C-alpha cells in the first residue's frame, strides 16, 4: 500500500469517527451539545484536524443527514420487500419510517429539521437524499391513484408521515393511537 493510499484511508476513517461521534453526542444530548470543541475532545484530535474535514457544525449535520438517508432508504426497502401486496407495502413503509424517526431523533432532525447545507428537491440534491425519496416512491407509486403523479403523491404521503413523526415526538399525539394513525393514513390516502 502506498503512503498516499494509507493517508486517504486514515483520513476517511477520521471522517467516519467525527460523524459517528457527532451523531452519538446529538442522540444523547441534542444537537446543541455538538460543538467542534467537544468533538475534538471526544475523538482526541485537535480542532484544526476536525476543521480539515468539515468547515463547521453545519457540514457535520449534513454528513449525518446523508448517512441517515442511506440508512432510512435501506430500512424502508428491507421492510417493503418482506411484504406481499401494495397495502401491506405501504403500511410497512409507514411503520418503518415512523420507527426510524422515533429511534433516531437526532438523525431525523439532521435530515429534515436542521440546516446541513444540503440541497433538497433540486438538480444538485445529493444522491443519498434522492435515493431515500426513491425508496418511498417505489412503494407509493403503485397506490397513487389514477391521474395522480406518483412523485406528487409520495410528497404528500411523506409530508403526512413527517407530521406524524414530529407531532408524536413533541408529545402532541397520544402514543397508544400510533398504529391506528398508520392504518388510517394507509386506508385513506393509498388507493389499493
Amino acid at each position: 500500500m502506498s503512503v498516499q493510499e494509507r493517508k486517504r484511508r486514515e483520513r476517511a476513517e477520521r471522517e467516519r469517527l467525527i460523524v459517528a461521534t457527532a451523531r452519538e453526542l446529538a442522540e444523547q444530548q441534542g444537537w446543541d451539545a455538538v460543538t467542534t470543541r467537544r468533538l475534538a475532545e471526544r475523538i482526541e484530535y485537535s480542532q484544526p484536524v476536525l476543521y480539515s474535514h468539515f468547515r463547521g457544525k453545519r457540514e457535520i449535520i449534513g454528513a449525518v443527514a446523508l448517512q441517515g438517508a442511506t440508512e432510512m432508504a435501506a430500512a424502508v426497502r428491507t421492510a417493503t420487500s418482506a411484504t406481499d401486496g401494495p397495502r401491506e407495502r405501504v403500511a410497512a413503509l409507514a411503520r418503518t419510517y415512523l420507527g426510524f424517526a422515533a429511534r433516531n431523533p437526532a438523525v431525523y432532525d439532521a435530515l429534515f429539521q436542521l440546516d446541513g447545507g444540503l440541497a433538497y428537491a433540486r438538480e444538485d440534491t445529493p444522491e443519498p437524499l434522492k435515493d431515500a425519496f426513491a425508496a418511498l416512491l417505489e412503494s407509493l407509486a403503485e397506490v397513487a391513484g389514477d391521474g395522480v403523479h406518483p412523485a406528487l403523491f409520495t410528497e404528500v404521503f411523506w409530508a403526512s408521515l413527517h407530521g406524524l413523526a414530529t407531532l408524536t415526538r413533541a408529545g402532541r399525539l397520544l402514543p397508544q393511537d400510533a398504529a391506528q394513525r398508520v392504518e388510517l393514513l394507509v386506508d385513506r390516502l393509498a388507493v389499493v
Side-chain angles (χ1 to χ4, degrees):
M1 173 185 322
S2 72
V3 170
Q4 240 182 348
E5 188 177 316
R6 181 181 54 78
K7 285 184 178 188
R8 253 193 318 270
R9 193 179 71 220
E10 288 172 353
R11 180 173 176 75
E13 184 54 38
R14 269 193 315 271
E15 194 165 298
R16 278 190 294 278
L17 179 62
I18 293 165
V19 171
T21 304
R23 182 176 174 167
E24 179 184 314
L25 186 57
E27 291 292 1
Q28 291 171 351
Q29 300 176 31
W31 279 104
D32 287 343
V34 179
T35 64
T36 53
R37 175 180 291 161
R38 271 203 176 138
L39 285 175
E41 288 171 4
R42 283 203 176 197
I43 64 174
E44 298 178 346
Y45 284 103
S46 68
Q47 283 181 296
V49 168
L50 196 132
Y51 282 116
S52 74
H53 291 274
F54 299 98
R55 285 182 287 195
K57 183 175 175 177
R58 182 177 186 222
E59 283 188 5
I60 294 169
I61 290 169
V64 170
L66 294 176
Q67 186 182 72
T70 299
E71 292 170 9
M72 187 172 68
V76 165
R77 285 189 175 108
T78 298
T80 57
S81 70
T83 62
D84 290 321
R87 187 193 187 290
E88 292 76 16
R89 272 190 290 285
V90 174
L93 177 151
R95 286 190 300 273
T96 301
Y97 182 97
L98 294 171
F100 181 88
R103 284 187 308 280
N104 304 283
V107 173
Y108 193 80
D109 285 349
L111 268 164
F112 302 120
Q113 304 286 84
L114 301 174
D115 179 9
L118 303 173
Y120 285 79
R122 296 190 341 213
E123 287 292 320
D124 59 338
T125 298
E127 203 52 46
L129 298 178
K130 289 179 182 178
D131 189 53
F133 185 79
L136 301 177
L137 180 63
E138 289 161 13
S139 292
L140 294 171
E142 66 184 324
V143 297
D146 293 338
V148 178
H149 192 283
L152 184 60
F153 177 77
T154 300
E155 289 173 345
V156 171
F157 198 90
W158 169 34
S160 299
L161 289 173
H162 176 70
L164 288 175
T166 303
L167 291 169
T168 299
R169 189 163 135 210
R172 303 296 196 270
L173 300 175
L174 295 172
Q176 64 265 27
D177 295 335
Q180 289 174 299
R181 283 188 204 96
V182 168
E183 294 302 315
L184 183 61
L185 182 64
V186 172
D187 288 342
R188 298 298 169 130
L189 284 184
V191 178
V192 281

